[in-house]
Amino acid sequence: MIMKERYLWESWQIKRWLLLFIFCISNSVFQAVAQTESPRIYTEEDPLIYEDARDLWPYSYINDEGEPEGFNIDLIDKLMKALNIPYVVKLKSQQEAFDDLKAGRSDLTLGLATGFHDAYGHYGRHAVTLFTQSVASPKKNKVEIKTFRDLSKDGLQVIVNDSSLCHHLMLDYGWADHVITTRDPKKTIQDISTNEEGQMVWNTLSLRWLIKRFHLDNLEVTPVNMPHGEYKFMSNDQHLLNLLDDTYANLNLNNEISPIENKWFYPEHVEPQTPVWVWYFVAIAALLFIIALVFMAIYQIQARRIIKENRKLNRRLALIIETSGVRIWTYDVKQHEFAWRSDNGKIAYTYSVGEFAQRYSESDCTKLKDALNRLVTQHKDERGHKEEEITLELKAKDMEDGDNELRDFIVVLSVLERDKDGKPTMIIGTKKDVTGAHRLKRIEDERTLRYWSIFYSEDAAIFQFDKHGTIVDASPKACELCHCNSDELVKQHIHINDFFKTSFTDLTKTDDFHAIQIINGEKIEYKMKVCNNDNNKLIGIFVFCQAYQTDFNF
């Protein structure tokens, strides 16, 4: 897993170099929209005040000597020296740092550009690093959390740092009951190690740094597949942000940022040589970017329209899920991609066609693909109408909940969105688990079959009355013994009191009642049994008959 994360990190670094190079080419475009106010001048008497969190290892924290230390501290020092700006570092709680930035008591900090901190200041354009999420837990315990959806499992509780990215996401998804917050992650991770109980989801590099720093060898860190956050400069001085972005881009292109990253994040890392093809790719990407600038205005209009449509889609999906109790996924026709929707309609997972097909058997997968193709190609039914909705009964594995057993589902497919030409662009699928209902139906069918096989056997003489005492059926053997006709008895609504010429006032007390009649020289013995439901309420009465020979002859 560490090698995989290393590969993701290096891929992100290459992409970041490309964006930085492109940024240098297009810098003149962005400068045209920079703020027009006179920039603030920072001096020795009035230095820049940089505030950050005092407990965000290894980004910013107070060391054993009481001094600020960490990746952020070294990075700011590098940038301030390059810009020749006097500055002061203050470490506080992260919330205090954000409050000071908003109130103007500080000039600069770093934060996650995820929407949670928008009200405190403006963001720079560059992501300094990525905040991925992992779970720290004792090695002896089974890891329960591997995907974001796992955080919603019944009975599961997880420790998160107060106001962290994971904390905000779990609150947004309505999983507050699963959250245990902490304001002292260092103590919390040590307690988990000491007690060998509990699990904490937080920033991957922070968890690994704490475990290594305090030699918590009985803990392991497992990546969680969930949204990550981009860590950016934050300030209310737009001119300062522009300077930082420019300087950061130049330093990164000159490979002066990597040593700081390796020092704090990957001390064992040996810097690889950049392949030649990367530079060819950079040049081509730069040309494409310049061309893309021409279409920026069109893109902005389309982006606003897409956001509006997505909000409308999310509201519709949320309403469907809330009212119907089904699970929802969508299929993007152009992207050939499936998206699994959470309870509030947001995309929780995305799958390729091959990945999505793994949950179905080969035959059911073929049925599903055929149904999707009929909707996409607007196939016509026998009446010549275009198919708008298709219902399927499929067996599938409910992998989102960690269930790998085949279960019975009713899947309903319909067209959710169309393009301007009326062609389907988005298919919605609703999935409902009917495994229990199918099992109950099979049990009921078996019971019914056993009942009728007994009722119509050659030896069973049975009269059946409903809870009101009215006859509803008589077996052939009973009609033979009593010389009556079942259809006539039912048609005449014969009551049990008329049948036995009695006056039962409480039918529930007829259980084990005996009666004897002499018919054509035969003694017919009747025995009653009441039938109650699970709530002990009367639902019917059965009368069993048996014939005996008698010496009387009438």
Side-chain angles (χ1 to χ4, degrees):
M1 289 188 290
I2 294 177
M3 293 298 296
K4 181 179 179 182
E5 288 188 8
R6 185 66 230 165
Y7 172 78
L8 293 174
W9 173 264
E10 294 176 354
S11 300
W12 178 73
Q13 289 285 53
I14 292 175
K15 293 178 183 177
R16 186 174 67 176
W17 290 341
L18 299 180
L19 291 175
L20 291 173
F21 185 85
I22 292 169
F23 166 76
C24 291
I25 296 176
S26 61
N27 185 49
S28 59
V29 177
F30 291 111
Q31 291 299 323
V33 295
Q35 82 177 44
T36 58
E37 298 178 0
S38 298
R40 176 185 166 186
I41 304 300
Y42 300 97
T43 64
E44 294 291 344
E45 294 73 27
D46 185 19
L48 179 147
I49 298 176
Y50 171 77
E51 292 189 0
D52 209 335
R54 62 186 173 218
D55 53 3
L56 187 58
W57 306 270
Y59 300 91
S60 62
Y61 62 95
I62 298 175
N63 62 21
D64 296 337
E65 290 71 41
E67 297 296 327
E69 196 174 66
F71 169 80
N72 293 358
I73 310 304
D74 287 358
L75 177 63
I76 292 300
D77 182 68
K78 186 80 172 178
L79 291 168
M80 294 301 105
K81 287 179 179 178
L83 292 169
N84 196 26
I85 295 178
Y87 73 102
V88 174
V89 174
K90 297 180 180 180
L91 298 188
K92 303 181 177 182
S93 73
Q94 194 166 54
Q95 188 58 51
E96 287 177 322
F98 283 130
D99 291 340
D100 285 355
L101 182 68
K102 183 177 181 181
R105 293 187 291 270
S106 68
D107 305 297
L108 180 65
T109 189
L110 281 97
L112 289 177
T114 54
F116 309 136
H117 307 136
D118 293 359
Y120 298 98
H122 304 295
Y123 298 102
R125 290 187 295 275
H126 293 303
V128 174
T129 186
L130 297 179
F131 268 36
T132 61
Q133 305 296 299
S134 293
V135 58
S137 59
K139 291 180 179 179
K140 71 169 188 175
N141 296 340
K142 180 181 178 182
V143 178
E144 300 178 275
I145 304 170
K146 295 182 179 179
T147 67
F148 183 56
R149 184 69 186 178
D150 293 339
L151 295 171
S152 67
K153 289 181 178 178
D154 291 340
L156 182 143
Q157 285 195 317
V158 63
I159 303 171
V160 298
N161 197 25
D162 186 58
S163 300
S164 64
L165 173 61
C166 185
H167 187 197
H168 280 287
L169 289 174
M170 291 184 71
L171 293 181
D172 286 349
Y173 277 76
W175 302 339
D177 292 341
H178 300 252
V179 172
I180 301 174
T181 57
T182 178
R183 294 181 181 271
D184 191 349
K186 180 172 70 173
K187 182 179 183 301
T188 298
I189 200 71
Q190 290 174 319
D191 289 343
I192 292 175
S193 174
T194 301
N195 301 325
E196 292 197 315
E197 287 294 334
Q199 48 195 347
M200 180 178 181
V201 175
W202 197 26
N203 174 46
T204 302
L205 295 177
S206 296
L207 290 173
R208 285 182 176 165
W209 193 91
L210 287 172
I211 289 174
K212 183 177 181 180
R213 170 67 175 79
F214 297 103
H215 307 289
L216 309 178
D217 299 330
N218 62 336
L219 299 185
E220 64 179 348
V221 176
T222 305
V224 179
N225 184 10
M226 63 181 291
H228 61 261
E230 294 185 341
Y231 204 39
K232 296 184 176 182
F233 298 114
M234 287 186 68
S235 177
N236 287 303
D237 184 345
Q238 187 61 49
H239 179 71
L240 174 63
L241 284 176
N242 292 338
L243 288 176
L244 288 170
D245 280 333
D246 293 350
T247 307
Y248 180 83
N250 291 328
L251 291 174
N252 208 24
L253 284 174
N254 293 326
N255 204 31
E256 296 184 48
I257 302 298
S258 294
I260 302 175
E261 294 174 335
N262 292 336
K263 172 185 174 182
W264 291 103
F265 301 151
Y266 302 99
E268 75 285 355
H269 177 56
V270 177
E271 191 69 16
Q273 295 293 324
T274 303
V276 176
W277 64 266
V278 171
W279 302 113
Y280 287 105
F281 184 84
V282 168
I284 296 173
L287 291 174
L288 293 175
F289 181 79
I290 294 173
I291 296 173
L293 290 177
V294 179
F295 299 96
M296 185 169 293
I298 298 175
Y299 170 79
Q300 292 296 331
I301 296 174
Q302 291 178 338
R304 285 193 292 269
R305 179 178 60 81
I306 291 172
I307 291 173
K308 183 178 179 180
E309 290 179 354
N310 283 341
R311 288 174 178 171
K312 180 180 179 180
L313 173 62
N314 287 338
R315 288 195 297 269
R316 290 175 62 185
L317 290 175
L319 180 61
I320 291 172
I321 295 173
E322 181 180 357
T323 56
S324 64
V326 299
R327 304 283 293 279
I328 301 294
W329 53 259
T330 53
Y331 173 64
D332 190 316
V333 177
K334 292 184 178 180
Q335 299 296 328
H336 297 290
E337 186 176 74
F338 290 87
W340 196 257
R341 302 279 173 167
S342 62
D343 293 342
N344 58 7
K346 294 182 180 179
I347 293 177
Y349 312 95
T350 57
Y351 303 94
S352 65
V353 174
E355 291 171 338
F356 197 78
Q358 292 178 4
R359 67 194 60 226
Y360 298 97
S361 65
E362 183 175 352
S363 59
D364 283 354
C365 182
T366 301
K367 289 169 60 179
L368 179 59
K369 288 182 178 179
D370 178 66
L372 288 171
N373 185 60
R374 282 154 52 194
L375 289 176
V376 171
T377 58
Q378 304 180 80
H379 181 268
K380 294 183 179 180
D381 58 20
E382 302 81 12
R383 297 174 297 176
H385 298 154
K386 293 179 182 178
E387 291 188 284
E388 296 289 343
E389 183 175 288
I390 299 176
T391 300
L392 303 172
E393 289 191 17
L394 304 175
K395 288 185 176 294
K397 299 175 182 178
D398 201 4
M399 293 182 174
E400 289 72 30
D401 292 330
D403 188 352
N404 288 319
E405 295 184 3
L406 285 174
R407 302 176 67 83
D408 296 322
F409 291 96
I410 296 294
V411 178
V412 180
L413 307 176
S414 60
V415 178
L416 183 63
E417 291 182 1
R418 299 179 183 273
D419 60 18
K420 61 181 180 180
D421 298 323
K423 295 181 179 179
T425 58
M426 186 75 72
I427 306 298
I428 183 171
T430 63
K431 186 181 83 169
K432 187 170 185 179
D433 191 342
V434 294
T435 305
H438 282 189
R439 182 172 62 252
L440 291 176
K441 186 177 184 304
R442 287 194 297 268
I443 293 173
E444 185 62 29
D445 290 343
E446 292 173 0
R447 288 176 177 173
T448 301
L449 181 62
R450 288 197 299 269
Y451 167 78
W452 289 116
S453 64
I454 295 173
F455 192 84
Y456 286 102
S457 67
E458 294 181 356
D459 300 320
I462 306 171
F463 291 92
Q464 182 182 355
F465 296 82
D466 63 18
K467 64 180 180 180
H468 303 294
T470 303
I471 194 167
V472 294
D473 205 351
S475 71
K477 183 65 175 180
C479 292
E480 177 186 340
L481 291 178
C482 299
H483 301 282
C484 60
N485 183 277
S486 175
D487 293 337
E488 288 296 324
L489 293 175
V490 174
K491 184 177 180 180
Q492 296 173 18
H493 303 289
I494 299 298
H495 192 271
I496 196 169
N497 285 336
D498 298 326
F499 190 88
F500 288 108
K501 295 182 173 48
T502 58
S503 57
F504 294 115
T505 57
D506 186 355
L507 296 179
T508 62
K509 297 181 178 179
T510 61
D511 199 23
D512 291 328
F513 173 81
H514 287 73
I516 295 176
Q517 286 184 340
I518 304 299
I519 301 177
N520 295 333
E522 284 187 326
K523 180 173 70 173
I524 308 298
E525 182 180 8
Y526 302 91
K527 184 177 181 180
M528 300 185 192
K529 294 294 294 184
V530 300
C531 183
N532 298 327
N533 61 16
D534 293 338
N535 296 322
N536 205 31
K537 298 292 184 180
L538 179 67
I539 59 175
I541 302 171
F542 288 92
V543 177
F544 299 90
C545 310
Q546 189 171 3
Y548 299 93
Q549 292 295 327
T550 178
D551 297 330
F552 298 99
N553 189 13
F554 292 89

